[in-house]
Amino acid sequence: MLAPTLTAHTDLHRHHVAVAVAGPLTTDDHAAALQAACLPLPRTYGLIVNLSGLTVVTEAGLRGLRQLAQATNAAGHSIAFVCSELIMRAELVLADLDTLAPVLQADEQAFAIVGYAA
């Protein structure tokens, strides 16, 4: 079974962690791996989850994204989802992910929301 590739980057200047997801997000294990890659965050940092490389998402994956947003917000951090692919971004919005965190088209749009310039 295929698994997502997760790539994390910490931006010390803008105070955020960016995690890119490439491939499928289809099982509870995939969602748990994403959450482990994202949390915990440094004290004053926000989180950008870039889903532009997402190839397929199921209800289990969407549930994992919702749980990640809720856990990030509950810990007092900002979170934004980025997806440059229009069809996938529309699917995320139709699944009401945007009620928990913004679903944006580009990383640059998320910078002002989740972090700040040091």
Side-chain angles (χ1 to χ4, degrees):
M1 172 178 263
L2 294 175
T5 300
L6 307 174
T7 307
H9 169 75
T10 301
D11 189 322
L12 301 175
H13 179 69
R14 291 189 178 110
H15 284 234
H16 70 257
V17 173
V19 177
V21 180
L25 191 60
T26 56
T27 68
D28 291 331
D29 288 341
H30 294 169
L34 176 60
Q35 185 153 348
C38 294
L39 298 176
L41 290 168
R43 196 170 123 274
T44 61
Y45 282 51
L47 177 64
I48 297 172
V49 181
N50 190 314
L51 302 169
S52 296
L54 197 62
T55 56
V56 64
V57 65
T58 63
E59 183 55 40
L62 291 169
R63 185 173 48 252
L65 292 171
R66 285 187 208 101
Q67 290 169 349
L68 175 61
Q70 291 168 337
T72 303
N73 289 329
H77 299 281
S78 299
I79 181 173
F81 295 100
V82 173
C83 187
S84 61
E85 300 298 322
L86 180 61
I87 299 294
M88 187 61 73
R89 191 169 63 250
E91 190 172 333
L92 298 172
V93 170
L94 286 172
D96 290 331
L97 189 59
D98 62 327
T99 62
L100 299 170
V103 178
L104 306 168
Q105 182 175 1
D107 285 337
E108 294 79 13
Q109 294 173 313
F111 292 156
I113 294 172
V114 301
Y116 64 91

